[in-house]
Amino acid sequence: MTKFFQTFTAALLATGMMAPAMAGARPMTAQDLATLKRMGSVSVSPDEKWAVFDVTETDADSYERSSALYLLDIETDNAVPVPIADTAGKSEHSPAFAPDGRLYYLSDASGSEQLWHARITAGEQVGNPVQASDLKADIAGFKLSPTGEKIVLWGDIAKDCPTFGCEKDGNRAELGPGTGREYDELFIRHWSSWETPGNYSRIFAFDLKNGKVTGDGAALDGDLVGDSPSKPFGGGEEIAWVPGEDGVFFALRIADRNEPKSTNIDIYGAKTNGSGTVNYTDGNEATDTLPAFSSDGEWLAWAAMERPGYESDRLVVKLRKQGSDESDAIALTENWDRSVGSITWTPDDKYLVVTAQDVLDHPAFAVEVATGKVTRLTGSGNVGTTIPLQDGSLLYTMNSLQAPTDLYRRAADGSVRQLTNINGAELAEIDKVEIERFSFAGANGDTVWGQIIKPEGVPGKLPMAFLVHGGPQGSFGNSWSTRWNPKVMAAQGYAAVTIDFHGSVGYGQEFTDSINQDWGGKPLEDLKLGYAAALETDPQINGDRACALGGSYGGYMMNWIAGNWPDRFDCLINHAGVFDLRSMALSTEELWFDQWEHGGNWWTRPNPEKWNPVNHIGNWKTPTLFIHGEKDFRIPYTQSIMPFTVAQEMEIPSKLLIYPDENHWVLKGKNSVQWYRTVFDWMDKWTATDGQDSEGQ
C-alpha cells in the first residue's frame, strides 16, 4: 500500500539526515555507485513553502530500482524530507504542483504509466492518491497549464491514431505474418531502439476537471510528422504553455528521409483544440529549442543554434516580442561565448536564469533581459534544475565530483543553503577524494584545463588512470556521473587525470569547434601535454604505471592512442569506441553528427582516411579491454568486435565485454558493478608492477 508520513525519526533515518560523521571511513565501491539514491524532478508549491522531488532507490541485493516522492519544507532550516508517495513495487515520479495546490505525478501503480494527484494542505496532511488518467497508452510526461485547468500529455502514439493510444494494431495496416520490419527511408533505428514505422512522440492537450483528465484530448501536431519532445533525450523543457492558455509551443524536427542529417528543430505553436499550427522559427534551419514565455506572455525566450547540421553549435538565447516577426528577434546572449542548457524566467520577468558549461563547472547564471548582462549565480559544481522564487532566491539541484545531486537554495543576498542530503548516511561512510585543477599550454599554445582526483591522505606513489571524455564536445568537469565516475576510480588507489582537450565545452565556441575534422590532431597533442602537466603538478603520480580509459569519442581515442602513442600506457580500456571511420559512417544513425565532424559523406570527404584508427593497427601492442552494448546504435557494437579481433590475431593481450541489454551507456545496476569489476581487474593486472605482469596474458 502507499506509505505516507512516517515518524520523524524514521524519516530522518530514511533520508540519511541523522547520519553522524564516521570516524573510520572506507573507499567508495562500484556497489556504492550503483545503489546511491538519485534525486530526479523537483517542483515547488504555489505558496513556495514546499518542494516535492522524486528519489530513485536501488535494492542492494537485486539491483532493482523504484522511485518515490518526498516532501520538504523549504522555509524551515534543517527540515527533513518525508515520503508522501511510495507504493511498494511501483514508481512515483515527475511531480508538478497545480495552482490549486494539487500535486500531480506519474505512477505505474495501475499497471501502466498514468497521471495521479494528491492534495497537500497547510497542515502537512496528504490526501489519498487519486488516479487522474486512464488512457490506452503510457504517459511519458506532462505539463500543467498556468491555471491548472488544462494539461498536455505526451507519449509514443501512432500518427494515424486520433486519440492518446488506440487498441492494439489500431487502424494500422497489417504487415503480414512475418516478424520483419519494412522501411523505405531513414531512420530505421535510433539510439537504442529500432524505429516503429508510423509511431512518434506526440503531444495531446486535455481539460482537467476535478483533477482528472477528461475527453479524448486534441493532438497538437496537426499535419506535422515528427517527435515532440524530440528523441532520444527531449522532455518538458521543449514544451511551453502560452500564459493565456489558449495555445502550446513545442519543439519538433520533421521526420522524413532527411531527418538523420538534419538538426533543424523548430518551435511550433498550436491552439489547444489542435488547430492553427504555426512554425515560429521557420527562418532558421538549425536548432531552435527550450521555449519559455514570460509570465505576462509578452516575450518568448528560446535557445537557437546558427549552423545547420552541427549538434554542438552554440545555443544563444533569443527573445521575441508577442506579435513581432521572427526577423525582429533579439539575440540576447550573442556576446556571451557560452552555450545555454536551460532557460527559466524569474517571477518579475526581469531576468532569465540559464545554465551553461563554464571551465569544468556547469553553473547557473542570471541574464538581464533589458541589457543581456550575465551574472554567475552558483559556485563550483554541476547545476541541473533551476526554480526562481518570488523572494529573489533560487532553488536548484547540484552535484559534484564528491557527491550526487542534492537540493540547494541561493538567497537574494547570494548566501547558499543546502536543503537535502539524501545520501548523507552513505557518504559519511565513504572517503572523500582530493581534487586539484590545473592548466597548461596545449595545442597552438591555447590554455587547456585538467583535473587530478586521488584518494585523500594516501601516502606513496599512485598509478594513473588517464580518463578521456566522450562527445567529443563534452567535459570531464566537476560533476557526478553514475557511469564514468572518477571518485570510484580514485578510491581504488589511482590518481584519476582528466583533460578537457580541444573540442571540449565551457571554453568558448571556437575552442569547441577546433576539433572539427581534426579528431586525432590537436586533441592527442593536448592529451600528451596534459599527461606531462599532471605529473609536474602532482609528483605523487607514477606516470610509469598508467592505464588510459575512454568511452565513445574517448574510446576512439583509445584506438588512436594504440596506434599513435603506443609506448605510453600499460593498458587501455575502450568503451564503445570508433575503430573504423568508414564503417561508422555507414552504420551510425544520426548522420548529421558523423558528417559534420568529418566533412560530409564518406565518399565526398577530402581525406577520409586521415584520422582512421584502422590504418595504424601495425603499431598496436598495448593490452586492451574492449566493452560495448549490443543495443548501441550510435556506435554499433561491431566497432569493438573488429579491434578485439585485430588484437587477438596479433596476440596482443585483450579482452571483450559485451552487454546484450545495454546501449551506448551501461545503465543497469548489476551491469555497472560488473563493468567496474572488469575494468579494475584489467587496470590492476597491467599497472601492478610498473606495467609488467608476472603471469603474462
Side-chain angles (χ1 to χ4, degrees):
M1 298 295 293
T2 301
K3 301 195 298 287
F4 294 106
F5 283 97
Q6 310 296 312
T7 65
F8 185 70
T9 301
L12 286 169
L13 291 171
T15 60
M17 301 293 282
M18 267 185 78
M22 302 295 290
R26 58 172 177 78
M28 186 176 176
T29 67
Q31 288 82 357
D32 293 324
L33 181 63
T35 57
L36 285 173
K37 293 184 279 291
R38 304 178 184 185
M39 179 180 288
S41 302
V42 182
S43 182
V44 174
S45 61
D47 60 5
E48 298 187 351
K49 177 177 175 57
W50 306 101
V52 171
F53 51 88
D54 57 65
V55 174
T56 298
E57 297 194 48
T58 304
D59 184 87
D61 296 319
S62 67
Y63 292 97
E64 292 183 357
R65 291 182 176 136
S66 62
S67 57
L69 302 182
Y70 286 79
L71 179 73
L72 176 68
D73 179 351
I74 60 175
E75 291 186 336
T76 303
D77 289 344
N78 302 316
V80 177
V82 290
I84 60 171
D86 187 6
T87 306
K90 303 296 181 179
S91 287
E92 287 82 21
H93 60 95
S94 306
F97 277 100
D100 66 0
R102 281 192 180 99
L103 177 72
Y104 288 86
Y105 59 93
L106 295 180
S107 173
D108 61 353
S110 66
S112 65
E113 287 286 335
Q114 297 295 326
L115 187 72
W116 292 66
H117 72 74
R119 281 195 174 276
I120 301 173
T121 67
E124 302 183 22
Q125 297 298 313
V126 180
N128 289 326
V130 175
Q131 186 172 343
S133 71
D134 187 16
L135 301 170
K136 293 184 174 68
D138 285 339
I139 299 172
F142 69 96
K143 204 156 200 175
L144 294 161
S145 69
T147 66
E149 296 178 358
K150 297 178 184 292
I151 190 171
V152 290
L153 310 175
W154 60 89
D156 280 357
I157 309 290
K159 181 62 181 175
D160 58 11
C161 183
T163 58
F164 198 89
C166 295
E167 297 297 338
K168 187 176 181 181
D169 295 329
N171 45 16
R172 305 287 303 276
E174 289 289 339
L175 296 179
T179 60
R181 307 181 188 94
E182 298 178 13
Y183 301 94
D184 55 15
E185 64 182 26
L186 300 173
F187 288 116
I188 61 171
R189 57 186 187 175
H190 196 185
W191 188 248
S192 60
S193 302
W194 287 90
E195 290 287 291
T196 301
N199 265 32
Y200 303 95
S201 178
R202 301 179 62 203
I203 307 171
F204 285 70
F206 292 86
D207 289 330
L208 281 174
K209 293 184 179 179
N210 298 319
K212 291 193 175 184
V213 173
T214 62
D216 290 332
L220 301 187
D221 49 1
D223 294 332
L224 300 172
V225 178
D227 294 301
S228 185
S230 62
K231 289 185 177 180
F233 304 122
E237 74 283 353
E238 296 183 343
I239 300 170
W241 277 93
V242 178
E245 292 194 341
D246 60 343
V248 177
F249 277 40
F250 54 92
L252 179 143
R253 177 176 51 235
I254 297 298
D256 55 19
R257 63 175 57 254
N258 187 55
E259 185 182 14
K261 298 191 291 184
S262 171
T263 59
N264 186 19
I265 297 175
D266 280 313
I267 295 175
Y268 296 84
K271 295 185 179 298
T272 54
N273 63 7
S275 67
T277 304
V278 176
N279 185 346
Y280 282 85
T281 58
D282 188 47
N284 182 23
E285 295 184 0
T287 293
D288 296 282
T289 188
L290 307 178
F293 279 98
S294 59
S295 61
D296 59 9
E298 185 176 2
W299 292 95
L300 169 69
W302 78 96
M305 294 183 180
E306 183 177 294
R307 289 170 284 183
Y310 185 20
E311 70 176 18
S312 296
D313 200 10
R314 182 165 64 118
L315 280 164
V316 173
V317 176
K318 291 198 170 183
L319 288 176
R320 181 174 171 183
K321 197 167 187 176
Q322 184 82 296
S324 66
D325 294 330
E326 183 182 355
S327 59
D328 297 326
I330 301 168
L332 187 64
T333 60
E334 181 64 35
N335 296 323
W336 182 46
D337 198 6
R338 292 295 183 265
S339 183
V340 301
S342 62
I343 301 174
T344 310
W345 288 84
T346 57
D348 60 8
D349 292 334
K350 292 182 179 180
Y351 294 89
L352 296 172
V353 175
V354 305
T355 57
Q357 192 70 30
D358 186 41
V359 188
L360 299 173
D361 292 313
H362 188 259
F365 300 85
V367 183
E368 190 173 25
V369 172
T371 66
K373 180 183 176 182
V374 178
T375 303
R376 182 164 171 168
L377 300 177
T378 61
S380 185
N382 176 44
V383 171
T385 300
T386 58
I387 305 175
L389 302 180
Q390 293 284 349
D391 65 355
S393 65
L394 176 69
L395 205 70
Y396 62 96
T397 60
M398 187 177 71
N399 58 58
S400 68
L401 284 165
Q402 293 282 15
T405 299
D406 271 302
L407 191 61
Y408 296 78
R409 185 170 186 167
R410 180 191 186 275
D413 63 6
S415 60
V416 175
R417 182 163 56 98
Q418 183 173 342
L419 301 182
T420 66
N421 189 13
I422 65 171
N423 288 290
E426 294 84 355
L427 293 175
E429 298 179 354
I430 294 172
D431 292 329
K432 289 188 175 182
V433 291
E434 295 180 15
I435 303 168
E436 182 175 8
R437 297 184 177 190
F438 64 98
S439 63
F440 58 94
N444 296 337
D446 298 331
T447 299
V448 176
W449 284 87
Q451 297 179 121
I452 299 169
I453 305 98
K454 65 182 184 180
E456 190 174 67
V458 174
K461 287 281 191 177
L462 298 174
M464 178 194 292
F466 194 69
L467 304 177
V468 181
H469 70 68
Q473 294 85 1
S475 172
F476 247 136
N478 185 18
S479 63
W480 187 263
S481 173
T482 57
R483 302 190 314 274
W484 286 75
N485 192 295
K487 183 172 182 175
V488 179
M489 295 182 178
Q492 311 308 306
Y494 289 85
V497 175
T498 71
I499 306 296
D500 271 6
F501 48 82
H502 277 77
S504 301
V505 295
Y507 308 93
Q509 195 60 41
E510 183 179 351
F511 191 87
T512 300
D513 293 347
S514 65
I515 197 172
N516 184 256
Q517 300 182 55
D518 192 30
W519 270 30
K522 291 186 291 294
L524 180 61
E525 185 177 351
D526 289 341
L527 293 174
K528 289 181 176 180
L529 293 168
Y531 170 90
L535 296 181
E536 184 177 349
T537 301
D538 190 345
Q540 189 178 16
I541 303 174
N542 184 352
D544 293 325
R545 296 171 57 204
C547 189
L549 310 82
S552 196
Y553 171 82
Y556 162 89
M557 185 52 70
M558 295 305 103
N559 287 326
W560 191 249
I561 285 173
N564 293 275
W565 196 13
D567 298 313
R568 178 63 278 160
F569 295 102
D570 299 299
C571 63
L572 302 173
I573 296 170
N574 179 342
H575 181 107
V578 178
F579 170 69
D580 179 19
L581 287 175
R582 177 187 296 189
S583 59
M584 170 68 177
L586 301 177
S587 60
T588 190
E589 16 82 290
E590 291 180 352
L591 297 178
W592 66 72
F593 170 78
D594 186 79
Q595 293 180 9
W596 180 274
E597 292 298 309
H598 302 295
N601 290 315
W602 176 263
W603 54 91
T604 63
R605 295 175 187 175
N607 193 352
E609 296 286 358
K610 183 176 182 180
W611 305 117
N612 199 348
V614 72
N615 296 324
H616 300 273
I617 59 176
N619 298 329
W620 281 24
K621 59 183 179 182
T622 311
T624 304
L625 167 64
F626 300 95
I627 310 174
H628 224 118
E630 287 185 23
K631 292 185 176 181
D632 187 352
F633 300 149
R634 173 58 42 83
I635 300 178
Y637 68 88
T638 51
Q639 293 287 325
S640 284
I641 290 179
M642 288 187 286
F644 176 65
T645 301
V646 169
Q648 288 284 300
E649 287 287 277
M650 296 176 69
E651 298 186 356
I652 298 170
S654 50
K655 187 171 184 176
L656 176 66
L657 173 60
I658 287 283
Y659 289 101
D661 53 349
E662 297 286 7
N663 55 31
H664 197 53
W665 302 329
V666 172
L667 301 176
K668 300 180 187 303
K670 285 184 178 180
N671 290 344
S672 176
V673 172
Q674 181 189 20
W675 189 97
Y676 272 103
R677 186 190 68 223
T678 307
V679 164
F680 292 149
D681 286 349
W682 193 255
M683 293 169 67
D684 293 345
K685 176 183 179 69
W686 297 104
T687 64
T689 54
D690 295 330
Q692 302 299 315
D693 180 69
S694 59
E695 298 178 3
Q697 259 180 261

